[in-house]
Amino acid sequence: MKLKTILQKLYRHIRLLVVVAVVMVAAYVSIGREFMPAVSGYTSFFENQIYESTGLPVQIDSMSGSFDGFNPILQLNNLSLLLGGDSEQANDSVLQMGSAHIVVDMPRSLWERRWVLQEFNIDGLAFNLAQDEQGIWQVAGLSGSGGGNIDLETLYQTFLRVSRLDLESVAINARNQAGELFVIENGTAVIQNRASEHYLHVDANLQQLDEPLRLSLELSGNRLASASGRVHLDIPQADYSTLVRGMSLADLELATFLGGGEFWLGLDSGQVQSITSDITMQ
């Protein structure tokens, strides 16, 4: 008799919990569907959230929101990351993105107690590279010293929050000391994170060549300083004089480079363990 009474009470409690859970989920979905269209007025809030995640100031021209199942969806238009931290140098110091489509994985975010993105699609990414007086290439507008430096570990942790990141229509404009321009265009990139395994694959065209440049990276580890894996770079045969002019190799100043090849790099616990290359020069 006592067992039957206990089971009846347990059944009533479970039924009550199920009813409460259903009501809470229904309320969450209903409130979410009502609230998401109103995010267009919260651009400053999301700019601050991105800054806290990446350490980079950001500007968003406009945004909209919607809801799919349990997951909020954000559409960001004309997004700019101010790498130099100075809006007055916006022409040189920004990563420009035509649009970004973000889907938040709400169940995983609640479980892991941090924001986890199910999808992150960026279309129309463009930025500039500039060669300094020492022949070193860097993102235009960034200084080797000062507050514009990027924390690579912070960026690495930011990418780990995304289950999958897709980049489309990527363009890079590289201008050397002499003002000569080298263009990388029609670039695509895919980043995937599965537990402690991380993958990156990049395809891009160099100066309108038919054969693409390909980069693949496979890493394991949730910290860049302790990551292990391998990197493969396949560079098509072309004239890269614009990129190497002004650079030095073994105290020799480079002026021209016509060729291509493949490179393999091995990492172990954040340290380079091996470098292999197969280069063809014309």
Side-chain angles (χ1 to χ4, degrees), residues 4 27 30 49 61 63 77 80 95 130 146 162 175 194 218 237 275-276:
K4 182 178 180 181
S30 178
Q49 291 298 306
D61 185 51
M63 62 184 299
N77 300 311
S80 303
L95 266 68
V162 183
R175 193 176 297 275
R194 301 171 181 171
E218 299 179 6
Q237 298 289 320
I275 299 178
T276 306

Side-chain angles (χ1 to χ4, degrees), residues 60-188:
I60 301 173
D61 185 51
S62 63
M63 62 184 299
S64 59
S66 59
F67 219 74
D68 181 22
F70 296 102
N71 297 330
I73 300 175
L74 295 174
Q75 181 72 28
L76 310 180
N77 300 311
N78 297 326
L79 185 146
S80 303
L81 291 176
L82 307 178
L83 298 181
D86 186 356
S87 58
E88 295 179 357
Q89 299 177 350
N91 290 333
D92 291 329
S93 61
V94 303
L95 266 68
Q96 297 280 0
M97 303 179 194
S99 63
H101 180 80
I102 302 172
V103 179
V104 180
D105 190 332
M106 190 55 66
R108 280 190 59 194
S109 296
L110 292 174
W111 180 259
E112 298 183 16
R113 290 180 294 180
R114 66 186 180 100
W115 291 113
V116 178
L117 304 183
Q118 185 181 65
E119 296 180 23
F120 194 170
N121 303 323
I122 295 175
D123 186 22
L125 173 64
F127 62 95
N128 301 322
L129 296 178
Q131 189 181 36
D132 63 17
E133 296 179 354
Q134 288 74 40
I136 300 173
W137 288 94
Q138 60 183 3
V139 178
L142 281 182
S143 171
S145 61
N149 291 337
I150 299 175
D151 187 338
L152 294 180
E153 184 64 47
T154 299
L155 286 180
Y156 186 69
Q157 293 301 319
T158 300
F159 283 123
L160 296 190
R161 297 186 180 187
V162 183
S163 298
R164 181 184 176 96
L165 172 63
D166 293 274
L167 301 174
E168 300 286 345
S169 303
V170 179
I172 302 174
N173 301 309
R175 193 176 297 275
N176 66 12
Q177 297 174 358
E180 299 171 310
L181 183 66
F182 188 90
V183 179
I184 302 174
E185 57 189 357
N186 300 324
T188 62

Side-chain angles (χ1 to χ4, degrees), residues 30-50:
S30 178
I31 294 173
R33 292 183 185 278
E34 292 293 329
F35 171 76
M36 288 307 296
V39 299
S40 58
Y42 291 86
T43 54
S44 297
F45 170 79
F46 286 97
E47 288 173 350
N48 291 332
Q49 291 298 306
I50 295 174

